[in-house]
Amino acid sequence: PAHPSRPVVTQIMDLFRAVLAKDERSARAYELTSHVISVNPANYTAWQFRRLCIEATQASLTDELEFCSEMAQVSAKNYQLWHHRRVIVEMIGTGIERELSLTESLLARDAKNYHVWSHRHWALRRFGQWNGEFDLIDRLLTRDVMNNSAWNHRWFVLTFSGEAKTAAVLDREFEFTTQRIKQNPVNESAWSFLRALWEEETKHASEAKAAERVSKYQTFAEEMVQHGENGVTNPFARGFLADFWSGPLATEQDRARAIEQCVALATESDPVREKYWLYVKERIEQQNQAS
């Protein structure tokens, strides 16, 4: 819809200031906040006063969620809208399916909308219903394998859904991630996820068991080093190996190999971050001296 003219907006805001001055928590004041929000969806005062009017008039919470859904179609990147919706959902106390349906429809339009993802995260943890989340993530990553928000959500689900990070789960995730990296070997999001899996492997198992399990991570990264772009070796594979060979299970020989990766990164694969990789190299050298 066309935005109201300046005189109309001025009239709406003048009326709203008058209502605020009187602290009039009435049905007409509640209706007025709809107009204020329509001309300025980020008006925090209007959203806050709207909640006061809802409490005073016992307005329909179901209708209020419908209003929020309509506003989300035109102003989805809006902190005030999502905070307000969260308050209303808490007042109702149920409705996880509704929240998941709304956020999924909005993610279909913009799969990296931080506000929508944040609301979905809140709803999942608030109501504890995780069924179908991996299916959603699979669809999003099939559409765009470099969607960092979807990779982040995958780790969020692994962390908070209550599914233990057993060897079987980590194996499943390793297979999923490496297949996606093969689709696009210079996908930093997927490499970050793989690094998180490797770190998880080293946390709980005995040193001998962990060393046995993480060998496949090393093998995969070594295989992917040559799969860069523009004739340059893969900086993410090299960076992973630098971390791997200087990690908690590393020997002095491993750290020497990590130093080689840092040099290659600084001079060939990732010269933009030359100073960073030389810093990492120096840090690893200090580890060697201390061991």
Side-chain angles (χ1 to χ4, degrees):
H3 195 277
S5 64
R6 183 182 293 271
V8 172
V9 172
T10 300
Q11 182 181 24
I12 291 171
M13 296 310 298
D14 285 346
L15 287 170
F16 184 53
R17 281 187 284 271
V19 165
L20 286 176
K22 294 174 59 180
D23 193 21
E24 180 186 325
R25 305 181 188 184
S26 62
R28 70 171 188 169
Y30 172 62
E31 180 61 27
L32 177 61
T33 61
S34 300
H35 297 288
V36 176
I37 290 168
S38 70
V39 299
N40 182 6
N43 189 319
Y44 175 85
T45 303
W47 286 105
Q48 171 63 16
F49 192 69
R50 186 175 179 86
R51 288 192 289 277
L52 296 177
C53 290
I54 289 171
E55 293 174 1
T57 64
Q58 297 296 298
S60 168
L61 299 181
T62 302
D63 289 348
E64 188 62 16
L65 286 180
E66 183 59 31
F67 173 77
C68 291
S69 297
E70 292 172 0
M71 291 304 304
Q73 302 306 316
V74 296
S75 184
K77 295 181 178 180
N78 183 332
Y79 287 103
Q80 288 74 30
L81 162 66
W82 292 108
H83 173 70
H84 182 79
R85 187 177 182 95
R86 186 177 300 185
V87 172
I88 301 304
V89 172
E90 286 282 18
M91 292 170 70
I92 295 174
T94 59
I96 179 64
E97 292 82 3
R98 178 186 54 238
E99 302 311 298
L100 296 183
S101 176
L102 173 64
T103 53
E104 184 170 351
S105 68
L106 292 170
L107 290 171
R109 290 164 43 185
D110 180 358
K112 301 176 184 178
N113 187 326
Y114 165 80
H115 305 270
V116 176
W117 277 116
S118 294
H119 187 74
R120 191 176 185 92
H121 289 174
W122 168 79
L124 287 166
R125 295 190 72 183
R126 169 63 178 80
F127 294 104
Q129 180 173 312
W130 302 89
N131 295 337
E133 285 306 292
F134 284 114
D135 292 337
L136 169 66
I137 296 165
D138 289 351
R139 290 195 297 273
L140 291 172
L141 290 177
T142 298
R143 188 185 314 158
D144 177 11
V145 75
M146 299 186 76
N147 184 343
N148 186 59
S149 298
W151 283 106
N152 177 70
H153 187 58
R154 193 173 187 91
W155 191 257
F156 174 87
V157 174
L158 280 173
T159 301
F160 294 108
S161 66
E163 181 180 27
K165 294 189 181 76
T166 61
V169 169
L170 292 172
D171 287 342
R172 179 195 72 197
E173 294 303 306
F174 174 84
E175 184 64 24
F176 176 90
T177 307
T178 53
Q179 289 302 314
R180 298 309 180 280
I181 290 175
K182 289 176 182 178
Q183 292 176 16
N184 189 326
V186 289
N187 180 356
E188 186 172 7
S189 299
W191 280 104
S192 295
F193 193 90
L194 187 70
R195 181 178 281 103
L197 292 175
W198 161 64
E199 291 173 350
E200 195 68 27
E201 295 272 17
T202 64
K203 284 181 182 178
H204 307 299
S206 65
E207 184 171 326
K209 183 64 175 177
E212 176 186 339
R213 285 192 54 79
V214 300
S215 62
K216 62 186 177 184
Y217 290 80
Q218 173 187 328
T219 301
F220 175 77
E222 288 180 304
E223 290 172 353
M224 300 306 295
V225 165
Q226 298 305 320
H227 295 270
E229 55 185 2
N230 302 321
V232 178
T233 54
N234 191 328
F236 304 116
R238 284 196 182 279
F240 183 92
L241 288 170
D243 287 343
F244 185 93
W245 282 324
S246 60
L249 304 177
T251 64
E252 185 173 345
Q253 182 180 6
D254 290 333
R255 286 190 286 271
R257 300 173 77 181
I259 289 170
E260 291 176 2
Q261 295 302 315
C262 290
V263 172
L265 284 157
T267 59
E268 179 208 344
S269 299
D270 194 14
V272 171
R273 296 197 293 168
E274 175 187 5
K275 291 185 178 179
Y276 169 74
W277 291 115
L278 292 178
Y279 160 75
V280 175
K281 171 179 173 289
E282 181 181 346
R283 189 190 64 192
I284 297 170
E285 289 170 339
Q286 290 172 351
Q287 288 178 337
N288 267 342
Q289 293 170 4
S291 61

